[in-house]
Amino acid sequence: VLPDLMLSVSLQAVVLEAGDHLTAVVQQAKMATTRRAFAMWCYGGDRVVTWGDRNSGGDSSAVQGQLRNVQQVQGTGRAFAAILADGSVVTWGSAEQGGDSSAV
């Protein structure tokens, strides 16, 4: 019996033997945009992939550790907000356009 696999483990790293069973759950990736950046994630996932203009949310490295169990991501003109399963919100991008919610 194989243990539950983490998403970060590739199938190539798992050695399957005769009689083993493999169940996979595939989710469609979701995407949000700002004027100059993109964010892609899977519902319930622990990672948001971003690219584009870093001043418009294209660089999420500063908050990547907080992005756990992401339910939804929304974009404004130059910032993103991620809603997590516990109801908390993580923001990044232009502080003037909603990318800094530390005062809330």
Side-chain angles (χ1 to χ4, degrees):
V1 176
L2 292 174
D4 290 337
L5 296 177
M6 299 298 294
L7 292 176
S8 61
V9 176
S10 73
L11 288 177
Q12 294 172 340
V14 179
V15 178
L16 295 176
E17 297 178 10
D20 286 344
H21 298 273
L22 179 65
T23 302
V25 176
V26 179
Q27 294 182 341
Q28 182 176 7
K30 310 277 188 204
M31 182 176 277
T33 64
T34 64
R35 289 184 183 166
R36 296 182 177 147
F38 303 88
M40 185 176 288
W41 79 100
C42 286
Y43 180 84
D46 290 339
R47 181 171 161 90
V48 175
V49 178
T50 56
W51 68 97
D53 179 31
R54 66 182 320 258
N55 296 320
S56 295
D59 179 5
S60 60
S61 60
V63 297
Q64 199 60 238
Q66 300 172 56
L67 297 172
R68 299 289 177 254
N69 208 355
V70 176
Q71 306 297 296
Q72 186 173 347
V73 177
Q74 291 292 318
T76 67
R78 295 180 59 208
F80 288 105
I83 302 171
L84 309 184
D86 65 3
S88 63
V89 176
V90 177
T91 58
W92 68 96
S94 170
E96 295 82 21
Q97 300 229 349
D100 180 2
S101 58
S102 60
V104 179

